[in-house]
Amino acid sequence: MKHTTKILIAISCIFVLSGCGKGNVAPPKIGVSTQQGGMDSRLLDPKITNQDVLLQRGDANIELEKRGYHAQDAASSSNSSVKILGGTQGLVQVWPNPSIQPKEGNYAENVISQAAMYYGTPYEFSSDRSDPSTFDCSDFTHWVYFSSLGMDIPKDSRSQASYVQSFSNRTYTSIDQAQRGDLLFFVPFKGTDPNNYTGIDKSIENITHVGIYLGNGKIIHTASAATGGVRIDEVANNHLTYRFVLGGSILNTK
């Protein structure tokens, strides 16, 4: 009997250490576990954020040469369907590779499943857009859509926002309207006090951050090295809410 009890205790310990216990179950319709380290306080801790130059900068002024997003950039991808439309500042509309099957009947699930694979990937400002070993915010969103669906969208947050505004059938300026797989765009971090964002310019030209909405009020994104690379955060009642500019689907298009 004592021998059996020891075996049961040992098995219980293995389940806890391997993350298979009840405490590691992901919330409904999130797609990645929030017990892996992403739901910590680093993004909201003024002792970290107020000194975090990378968080304050976002991806501002990177990839400016790609703001026009030339057709040959997308055409070079064998996984993209490409169409050039006039009147969209040189942006190129792309669609999911038709050979890729939507998970659960919805391409957004492909996106979220792929985003989860890069959970914890280190942050690097102006990271190499052809190497997924590190990401900044817009490299992460670009790579997730490219690797999951073959969609070679623009490579910086402002261009991605312009893409959403140009081609999406569903855009919004209230974060409450966000749906799974949407891209969410934000202005620069100015502190945790909501008064710091009163009267701030919330145009596309002032966007410096982007992430992917998971549902249930959560976002997966990468903001800086100090906040831990690719991570999950709540978007409600914090500086992400105050900074929000625009959101929309690039799967529900015109």
Side-chain angles (χ1 to χ4, degrees), residues 154-172:
K155 299 177 178 68
D156 69 273
S157 61
R158 294 175 191 176
S159 293
Q160 289 176 12
S162 293
Y163 183 94
V164 167
Q165 193 173 64
S166 297
F167 301 124
S168 179
N169 265 334
R170 184 171 56 78
T171 62
Y172 45 86

Side-chain angles (χ1 to χ4, degrees), residues 16 18 45 69 113 129 189 222 238:
V16 171
S18 64
D45 186 349
Y69 204 54
S113 176
R129 266 55 183 157
F189 175 77
T222 183
N238 61 50

Side-chain angles (χ1 to χ4, degrees), residues 32-79:
V32 286
S33 173
T34 60
Q35 301 299 319
Q36 296 171 291
M39 295 294 290
D40 57 46
S41 63
R42 281 177 289 181
L43 195 77
L44 305 180
D45 186 349
K47 294 179 181 177
I48 297 174
T49 57
N50 289 345
Q51 308 300 321
D52 192 342
V53 175
L54 291 175
L55 174 64
Q56 295 166 20
R57 181 172 186 178
D59 74 347
N61 301 321
I62 66 169
E63 300 289 336
L64 291 181
E65 71 278 5
K66 293 184 174 66
R67 291 287 299 279
Y69 204 54
H70 302 299
Q72 58 265 32
D73 292 335
S76 65
S77 168
S78 60
N79 292 326

Side-chain angles (χ1 to χ4, degrees), residues 68-84 90-95 142 146 150-155 163:
Y69 204 54
H70 302 299
Q72 58 265 32
D73 292 335
S76 65
S77 168
S78 60
N79 292 326
S80 292
S81 298
V82 180
K83 179 180 180 181
I84 304 173
L91 294 171
V92 176
Q93 187 170 13
V94 294
W95 291 270
H142 169 269
F146 181 75
M151 296 178 70
D152 195 358
I153 64 174
K155 299 177 178 68
Y163 183 94

Side-chain angles (χ1 to χ4, degrees), residues 93-96 106-109 111 145 149 151 153 160-173 177-185 211-213 244 246-254:
Q93 187 170 13
V94 294
W95 291 270
N106 190 340
Y107 280 127
E109 300 307 316
V111 170
Y145 270 91
L149 297 176
M151 296 178 70
I153 64 174
Q160 289 176 12
S162 293
Y163 183 94
V164 167
Q165 193 173 64
S166 297
F167 301 124
S168 179
N169 265 334
R170 184 171 56 78
T171 62
Y172 45 86
T173 56
Q177 298 179 38
Q179 297 181 20
R180 279 171 71 81
D182 285 0
L183 293 178
L184 306 182
F185 300 94
I212 298 170
Y213 189 64
F244 180 69
L246 172 74
S249 170
I250 62 173
L251 301 173
N252 185 350
T253 58
K254 298 174 183 178

